[in-house]
Amino acid sequence: MSKIQFFTEIQGNFLIKLVIAHLLADFLFQSKKMVENKKWFSIEMIFHILIVFGLTLIVTKKLYISVIISILHYIIDGIKIELNKKKISKTLLFTIDQVLHIGIIILCWSIYFGISKTVFKTLLLPINNYSVSLIFLSYLLVTTPFGYFIGLLTKRFQSASNSENKTDKNGFLIGIFERIIILTFMILGEYSAIGFLITGKSIIRFSSKNEDIKSEYVLLGTMISYGITILTGVLVKNLLN
């Protein structure tokens, strides 16, 4: 795989400091009480934004960057407060909130160093660069596409092991993360680590009812999941080379 340089060490260090300031302000120095009582013009909101501004200024020593990030942080948090009043998933809101905050930080950072074009090209790497595109595709495959495929192959066992025929959402998510981890180990060439992952899944809780059928269902799904992911990893490694 050809080496790609996204930014210099100095630029990267500046970005890291911006992210550290954000994480400190949003998590370490923001209590649960502050989050619950924040409103557009509340003391909690003003105090939080002052913390964002102060920490950003301390780590960057750049007044205008600190002001811009603080103002945009305030707007994002205010919009989140309004959306919290509606029936929207808390997990979804939290994810969008953090993505926007980090996105603003990256945008300010890239403009400050004049590398906006480089950042834009970096975002397009999954489309324009062969190696990155291939790795991106492989990770995409091992998530829900492989999950649905395994679900179809084990449908008969799944129905038999669950009298109410409920979808095993937890198992589906666990399978996705397992495949992501295995694929990562395959790409890095850490094959022995896969054995530890398989060993770690050796203790599984089953109900006394339909235990044998449930065991067969889980074992079959696991073996298919591991098998196709390992094959995908082998294929990706060969195509990268």
Side-chain angles (χ1 to χ4, degrees):
M1 188 189 305
S2 59
K3 186 178 179 181
I4 303 171
Q5 183 174 354
F6 300 105
F7 42 76
T8 65
E9 185 177 337
I10 294 175
Q11 293 168 348
N13 186 47
F14 194 87
L15 176 60
I16 289 171
K17 289 191 289 186
L18 283 172
V19 174
I20 288 174
H22 164 71
L23 294 177
L24 288 174
D26 242 19
F27 296 97
L28 191 62
F29 294 112
Q30 183 175 212
S31 65
K32 185 178 179 181
K33 185 179 179 181
M34 287 175 63
V35 174
E36 292 173 348
N37 294 328
K38 272 198 308 184
K39 294 180 177 60
W40 276 105
F41 302 105
S42 64
I43 295 175
E44 288 79 9
M45 174 69 91
I46 295 171
F47 185 58
H48 174 61
I49 298 304
L50 287 175
I51 291 174
V52 173
F53 171 77
L55 288 172
T56 306
L57 183 61
I58 289 171
V59 301
T60 64
K61 298 179 177 62
K62 303 295 178 183
L63 180 61
Y64 64 97
I65 289 180
S66 303
V67 171
I68 293 171
I69 288 178
S70 300
I71 292 174
L72 293 175
H73 193 110
Y74 171 75
I75 293 172
I76 292 171
D77 277 11
I79 294 173
K80 182 185 176 184
I81 290 169
E82 297 301 321
L83 293 176
N84 264 326
K85 298 175 183 178
K86 301 180 180 180
K87 293 181 179 180
I88 301 176
S89 169
K90 300 293 183 182
T91 304
L92 178 61
L93 273 180
F94 172 80
T95 304
I96 295 174
D97 174 67
Q98 292 304 312
V99 168
L100 287 175
H101 285 316
I102 299 298
I104 291 299
I105 288 173
I106 293 175
L107 179 62
C108 292
W109 165 75
S110 63
I111 293 174
Y112 173 71
F113 282 104
I115 56 173
S116 302
K117 290 183 179 179
T118 303
V119 172
F120 182 71
K121 288 180 180 178
T122 302
L123 295 175
L124 293 178
L125 280 178
I127 300 174
N128 296 331
N129 183 275
Y130 167 74
S131 298
V132 179
S133 298
L134 181 61
I135 294 174
F136 179 76
L137 173 62
S138 63
Y139 276 105
L140 185 62
L141 282 173
V142 301
T143 55
T144 50
F146 279 6
Y148 285 120
F149 175 68
I150 295 167
L152 291 173
L153 292 178
T154 59
K155 189 174 182 180
R156 179 170 62 89
F157 288 90
Q158 185 179 4
S159 299
S161 65
N162 195 334
S163 58
E164 297 180 5
N165 198 27
K166 293 181 180 178
T167 303
D168 188 3
K169 293 182 179 179
N170 291 336
F172 186 80
L173 291 174
I174 290 171
I176 289 176
F177 285 106
E178 281 179 348
R179 291 189 292 275
I180 289 174
I181 294 170
I182 291 174
L183 180 61
T184 302
F185 286 150
M186 289 294 299
I187 293 174
L188 295 176
E190 298 292 338
Y191 308 115
S192 59
I194 299 174
F196 288 103
L197 182 64
I198 296 174
T199 304
K201 200 180 178 181
S202 59
I203 302 175
I204 305 174
R205 294 177 60 188
F206 300 114
S207 60
S208 58
K209 185 179 180 181
N210 293 328
E211 183 175 334
D212 292 336
I213 297 175
K214 179 72 174 179
S215 300
E216 291 178 358
Y217 160 60
V218 174
L219 182 60
L220 176 61
T222 299
M223 291 302 101
I224 295 174
S225 180
Y226 287 3
I228 60 176
T229 306
I230 290 172
L231 288 174
T232 302
V234 171
L235 179 62
V236 169
K237 286 212 70 175
N238 280 278
L239 289 175
L240 286 174
N241 294 328

